[in-house]
Amino acid sequence: MNFEFSDEQRQLHDAVERYLSEQYGFDRFKAIKGSAAGWDPAVWRDLAELGVLAITVPAAQGGLGFGPLETLAMMGDCGRSLLLEPVLSSAVIATAVLRAFADETPAAELLAAMATGEKIAVLAHFESGARYESQWVSTRARRTGESYRLDGHKAVVMHAGAADTLLVSARTAQETGDAQGVSLFLVPRAAPGVVLDAYPTVDGQRAADVYLQGVEVPAGSRLGLEGAALNPIEAALDIGLAALCADAVGVMQALVDATVEYVRQRQQFGHPIGRFQVLQHRIADMLVHLEQARSMSYLAALRCNDKDIGARRRALSAAKAVIGQAGRFVGQQSLQLHGGMGMTDELKVSHWFKRLTAAQLMFGDSDVHLQRYAELTRGC
Amino acid sequence: MRLEFTDEEQAFRKEVRCFLREQLSTDISDKVLNGYELGREEHLLWQRRLHERGWGGMGWPVEFGGPGWNSVQQYIFEEESALAGGPRLIPFGTKMVAPVIMAFGTAAQQQRYLPKISAGEEWWCQGYSEPGAGSDLASLKTRAVRDGDHYVVDGQKTWNTLGQYADWIFCLVRTDAQAKQQAGITFLLINMKSAGITVRPIVLLDGGHEVNEIWFENVRVPIENRIGEENRGWTYAKFLLGHERTGIAGIGIAKRELARLKRIAAQERQHGRPLIEDPLFAAQIAQVEIDLWALEITNLRVLAAERRSPAAGPEASILKIRGTEIHQSISELLMRAVGPYALPFRREAMEAGWQFDPTREPPGPRYAATLAASYFNQRKLSIFGGTNEIQKNIISKMIVGL
């Protein structure tokens, strides 16, 4: 048992932290958030140079071949800096999806281009009406000769607008809700029939609902066997969930730090408000939540690649439930302890709070995961 | 980063398991696993078993006759012992007074007291709290006045745990009434058979006799029973508070009780189905289980960090707060799991040595008899050892610093 990062992991963390603290301050965040695209290609190039985009790309595709612990080491910094660029969507989740098909040329080529920052890909999987159920795919792919024709609607696809390629899941067999019969396709975002209804999310990131209207792709853009894509998709989503947990813990740490600083500075009734015991105890409660959340972010990173799917999902659901609850408490109380200032757009606090709110809503909230955990442990 | 224990630690765990299998009798483990109290002789018998194995001085270095375990080994022992239904270790001797005697006692004191603690020959209790000195311990008033080569002790201690079994009590007493609160306190070891000591039971809400008031009237204590210097007792007591806090969360016991909760919830019925399948009850069990998992990893993080240097931050307070909250949640769910059969309150059914009388069926399932009492009893957890509110003061002092 050991909770230290390796030298390599620490170096990666230090490099990312240094870059973000020097180059990705609050003003830069606000400027990027207010820009038309909502992300900055220059930042993306810098991240590529730092190796962030290559972390989990296999060495054979020019990547660093690292895993979830390296992702964990740097995700907290992304959260703390409110990074808007699609690291989670492209460099973690889409990369994890493609790794499962790295022995196929299209996936391998895309991975190589993603490692250098040249291409961005995102997974377009969840659908309207599915909430967080991953097998709830009703988008259809019909084979005609040497091509497929895709029709359907993908909901809240993070960073779809930034992507060159969408990894679209679609049913080639069975009915909505079946675990079998889901296939995966590489779809150029600019392909005819791909329509994006793009918007910012609550925390200032970008997303889109993606409509596929008779989109034609060659048969060769299907990844893997027909109808067998759900397992690799779920595996990639679990790797993404672990990374999201680490991002959220970085945000919680930032909020605890900022709130401690604020109650030390803010004077009322002739004292810093941190003298008031009710606020001291609130901060103690926040720290307790933060440390439990941090423990679970480690668990998530350590187990998200577990071959035993039951063990993997138990750990990840436990982690997401704890982190969702902790994030809600830490976020709400940070705002509360900042008083009226916490309500303003001017302070970073409100932006961290919104990022935690978004994290709670992604990949299943605490209740969904609590319920899933209860189901997975029935009889254990 | 890895969660798994090292190979040596795994081997140690096996050794502990093997010892427990051979030495822990089922009449003791059955009581522990079913929530019954143990008596003095059962506790001392277990201490002697540990001593015979060389493990009597839990947490002690080898030079004082201990097994020389690090905190990871102690954690593993406590977890395995709890899961197997081993008696909880009464901490006052091995874990509380012994480290103080080792750090601040004379060689003569070390030779006099330590071997008998390890061997389970003498039972120790603690004389800290007073009616007017709880969380504000330093305001204690029990006086000790020098008279030749003795101190004469007068006053009252309270919330003394299991003093009715004790041979010795370690006390904080005031030797200088003029000095600032913390400065005038002395640490004394007092024989419980001394003339002038009266032990009066305090009956708690669960009907049990676990704590006492102890009255001291002109109790003569030889000067050689003083630890360290006069008026320096607060320093020694504080050393004790900072000592060995990694077991404070009670992870092993919580795991055992959670397993018991699941067993009982699987036997209880609601709408003709096992209660454990009720979505709301299942969610409550799941919640406490994931909370416990998070705390276990936090505890392991603290242990791993301690391999390099002792914890100096708010870790112990975090473990205490979360640990007690989780224990209390489990005990409450256990009580609620049996529904109306948590209501019958028969004291004799809760005590150690109670023999099930087949001619007198208990109302409801046997496992229900102790659950309300144990829920009541567990409310103490967030009060003793520094209330959870005091723990939050400590955390805040460390991170806010105001």
Side-chain angles (χ1 to χ4, degrees):
Chain A
M1 153 193 93
N2 147 31
F3 297 91
E4 298 291 299
F5 286 109
S6 68
D7 287 345
E8 235 164 13
Q9 289 159 359
R10 205 169 302 118
Q11 281 161 14
L12 179 66
H13 164 268
D14 292 349
V16 174
E17 186 189 41
R18 194 175 323 113
Y19 170 74
L20 291 174
S21 62
E22 285 168 11
Q23 303 290 323
Y24 210 89
F26 191 34
D27 288 339
R28 182 92 183 259
F29 159 78
K30 283 190 288 194
I32 295 171
K33 178 172 171 265
S35 70
W39 67 286
D40 187 341
V43 172
W44 199 248
R45 280 193 296 275
D46 291 341
L47 291 173
E49 219 158 274
L50 283 169
V52 167
L53 309 182
I55 291 177
T56 59
V57 173
Q61 281 77 45
L64 299 168
F66 288 145
L69 291 176
E70 286 73 20
T71 304
L72 170 73
M74 60 102 196
M75 269 330 270
D77 299 306
C78 299
R80 176 182 277 268
S81 300
L82 297 166
L83 189 78
L84 294 166
E85 282 64 25
V87 168
L88 177 62
S89 305
S90 183
V92 178
I93 298 173
T95 301
V97 173
L98 291 165
R99 257 196 332 259
F101 307 105
D103 55 351
E104 299 173 22
T105 309
E109 284 174 359
L110 183 50
L111 277 170
M114 287 162 72
T116 59
E118 189 190 325
K119 285 269 168 65
I120 292 174
V122 304
L123 176 65
H125 175 61
F126 288 102
E127 303 194 357
S128 146
R131 271 174 74 82
Y132 303 112
E133 274 179 81
S134 56
Q135 79 277 23
W136 207 261
V137 174
S138 55
T139 295
R140 283 270 160 198
R142 291 176 187 84
R143 176 107 189 211
T144 45
E146 277 312 294
S147 65
Y148 286 94
R149 184 190 156 94
L150 275 58
D151 287 281
H153 168 200
K154 296 291 177 180
V156 200
V157 180
M158 293 302 294
H159 297 109
D164 305 288
T165 304
L166 303 172
L167 312 180
V168 177
S169 58
R171 220 158 251 299
T172 41
Q174 254 74 14
E175 294 307 311
T176 307
D178 278 326
Q180 298 303 316
V182 176
S183 304
L184 192 62
F185 300 90
L186 294 175
V187 179
R189 201 242 309 159
V194 174
V195 177
L196 266 58
D197 175 11
Y199 41 78
T201 54
V202 288
D203 57 337
Q205 301 193 63
R206 296 302 169 101
D209 271 36
V210 176
Y211 297 88
L212 303 147
Q213 296 164 341
V215 178
E216 296 272 349
V217 291
S221 60
R222 192 194 70 229
L223 296 172
L225 298 174
E226 200 172 76
L230 197 63
N231 270 339
I233 289 172
E234 288 185 340
L237 287 169
D238 282 349
I239 287 168
L241 192 154
L244 178 67
C245 286
D247 184 294
V249 169
V251 177
M252 280 185 243
Q253 178 72 63
L255 279 168
V256 169
D257 293 347
T259 306
V260 166
E261 191 54 30
Y262 186 77
V263 302
R264 290 166 56 88
Q265 304 293 333
R266 170 73 175 163
Q267 303 270 333
Q268 287 288 276
F269 307 104
H271 296 292
I273 60 172
R275 285 266 167 83
F276 298 120
Q277 196 176 39
V278 71
L279 303 190
Q280 294 178 345
H281 283 198
R282 200 71 55 77
I283 284 183
D285 290 334
M286 287 164 65
L287 185 77
V288 171
H289 273 294
L290 166 63
E291 291 307 325
Q292 305 309 86
R294 193 191 315 280
S295 294
M296 290 314 246
S297 73
Y298 292 174
L299 178 72
L302 287 162
R303 292 285 179 265
C304 68
N305 261 339
D306 206 315
K307 300 237 174 346
D308 175 349
I309 294 176
R312 181 184 97 204
R313 308 224 89 186
R314 274 196 298 279
L316 288 169
S317 281
K320 188 63 165 59
V322 166
I323 284 163
Q325 291 165 350
R328 175 174 177 272
F329 185 85
V330 171
Q332 291 180 352
Q333 297 309 320
S334 298
L335 224 66
Q336 178 72 21
L337 266 56
H338 276 82
M341 286 310 292
M343 294 297 295
T344 65
D345 189 59
E346 189 186 324
L347 254 57
K348 226 170 164 179
V349 170
S350 65
H351 298 272
W352 280 319
F353 170 70
K354 289 192 279 186
R355 192 165 176 112
L356 284 180
T357 306
Q360 167 82 295
L361 294 167
M362 289 168 74
F363 307 140
D365 65 10
S366 292
D367 289 346
V368 166
H369 283 284
L370 190 62
Q371 193 181 7
R372 187 179 293 174
Y373 182 86
E375 281 160 13
L376 289 165
T377 51
R378 180 170 295 163
C380 292
Chain B
M1 188 176 290
R2 50 180 271 137
L3 272 176
E4 291 72 23
F5 288 90
T6 64
D7 289 347
E8 295 79 49
E9 287 161 351
Q10 308 266 35
F12 175 76
R13 188 184 286 279
K14 261 194 195 147
E15 195 185 337
V16 171
R17 258 182 213 170
C18 188
F19 166 78
L20 290 163
R21 208 166 30 242
E22 284 166 9
Q23 297 297 327
L24 181 62
S25 68
T26 48
D27 53 320
I28 286 188
S29 62
D30 278 352
K31 282 180 191 165
V32 173
L33 293 172
N34 290 299
Y36 296 103
E37 296 159 12
L38 298 179
R40 181 180 196 270
E41 289 318 308
E42 287 162 314
H43 278 293
L44 287 177
L45 178 73
W46 183 238
Q47 179 64 33
R48 287 195 280 275
R49 291 270 175 284
L50 292 170
H51 180 70
E52 285 156 16
R53 183 68 173 73
W55 296 351
M58 198 78 58
W60 302 3
V62 177
E63 55 182 302
F64 290 109
W69 290 347
N70 58 28
S71 46
V72 177
Q73 287 172 302
Q74 284 184 69
Y75 178 91
I76 291 172
F77 175 85
E78 279 168 25
E79 180 171 37
E80 287 300 321
S81 176
L83 293 174
R88 79 188 161 95
L89 291 182
I90 305 296
F92 308 107
T94 42
K95 294 205 164 171
M96 299 181 88
V97 76
V100 171
I101 293 174
M102 288 177 217
F104 305 107
T106 62
Q109 287 170 333
Q110 289 165 354
Q111 281 153 23
R112 162 64 188 80
Y113 297 110
L114 297 178
K116 286 182 192 299
I117 293 173
S118 174
E121 288 171 26
E122 286 181 344
W123 184 299
W124 281 81
C125 67
Q126 183 188 44
Y128 275 18
S129 298
E130 297 183 6
S135 292
D136 179 15
L137 183 59
S139 68
L140 59 91
K141 291 200 172 61
T142 295
R143 279 186 310 137
V145 178
R146 278 288 276 274
D147 178 24
D149 53 3
H150 281 74
Y151 287 101
V152 179
V153 179
D154 280 280
Q156 182 192 356
K157 294 289 178 183
T158 192
W159 309 131
N160 161 277
T161 301
L162 299 179
Q164 69 268 36
Y165 298 155
D167 303 294
W168 287 86
I169 181 169
F170 58 97
C171 279
L172 293 179
V173 294
R174 187 160 300 286
T175 35
D176 183 350
Q178 313 307 324
K180 263 184 55 186
Q181 275 202 336
Q182 281 88 343
I185 291 172
T186 296
F187 197 109
L188 288 184
L189 313 179
I190 304 178
N191 191 319
M192 286 293 282
K193 289 175 193 79
S194 312
I197 293 183
T198 312
V199 179
R200 291 183 193 154
I202 300 173
V203 176
L204 295 183
L205 75 175
D206 61 353
H209 172 197
E210 190 178 29
V211 288
N212 304 282
E213 289 181 312
I214 301 193
W215 296 76
F216 297 85
E217 289 170 275
N218 293 319
V219 176
R220 296 186 67 79
V221 181
I223 281 176
E224 67 255 29
N225 289 15
R226 186 187 68 214
I227 293 290
E229 294 170 42
E230 191 171 280
N231 295 331
R232 299 262 301 152
W234 188 255
T235 317
Y236 313 141
K238 264 186 67 176
F239 161 82
L240 188 50
L241 291 177
H243 193 266
E244 217 281 273
R245 311 280 279 174
T246 45
I248 199 169
I251 300 292
I253 294 178
K255 282 186 179 175
R256 178 184 80 208
E257 294 303 295
L258 178 64
R260 182 166 160 232
L261 170 62
K262 289 181 165 186
R263 275 200 311 278
I264 289 176
Q267 281 171 269
E268 290 291 310
R269 300 259 143 189
Q270 175 157 292
H271 310 308
R273 311 264 324 139
L275 175 64
I276 201 165
E277 292 177 16
D278 173 82
L280 198 53
F281 203 82
Q284 297 194 71
I285 293 178
Q287 181 72 58
V288 75
E289 186 165 311
I290 63 171
D291 286 343
L292 176 56
W293 200 353
L295 185 66
E296 181 182 12
I297 297 169
T298 305
N299 201 340
L300 296 177
R301 285 170 51 206
V302 176
L303 281 176
E306 276 207 339
R307 285 197 191 121
R308 284 167 298 124
S309 63
E315 295 86 355
S317 295
I318 293 175
L319 295 178
K320 202 265 172 173
I321 293 170
R322 277 316 274 151
T324 55
E325 287 172 350
I326 288 167
H327 283 274
Q328 290 179 334
S329 297
I330 296 172
S331 71
E332 187 173 358
L333 287 171
L334 269 165
M335 174 180 72
R336 286 171 50 189
V338 297
Y341 277 116
L343 285 166
F345 195 78
R346 293 163 74 217
R347 192 56 221 169
E348 72 275 16
M350 301 164 200
E351 270 160 23
W354 178 63
Q355 291 301 309
F356 177 55
D357 175 0
T359 64
R360 254 184 91 205
E361 277 296 324
R366 279 196 78 189
Y367 56 68
T370 58
L371 296 178
S374 128
Y375 161 68
F376 296 151
N377 184 274
Q378 298 290 288
R379 302 313 300 170
K380 73 188 175 193
L381 298 179
S382 48
I383 298 168
F384 72 16
T387 64
N388 285 14
E389 287 71 23
I390 289 286
Q391 303 300 332
K392 289 179 189 179
N393 289 352
I394 293 171
I395 293 173
S396 159
K397 193 100 204 149
M398 285 182 188
I399 70 165
V400 182
L402 287 177

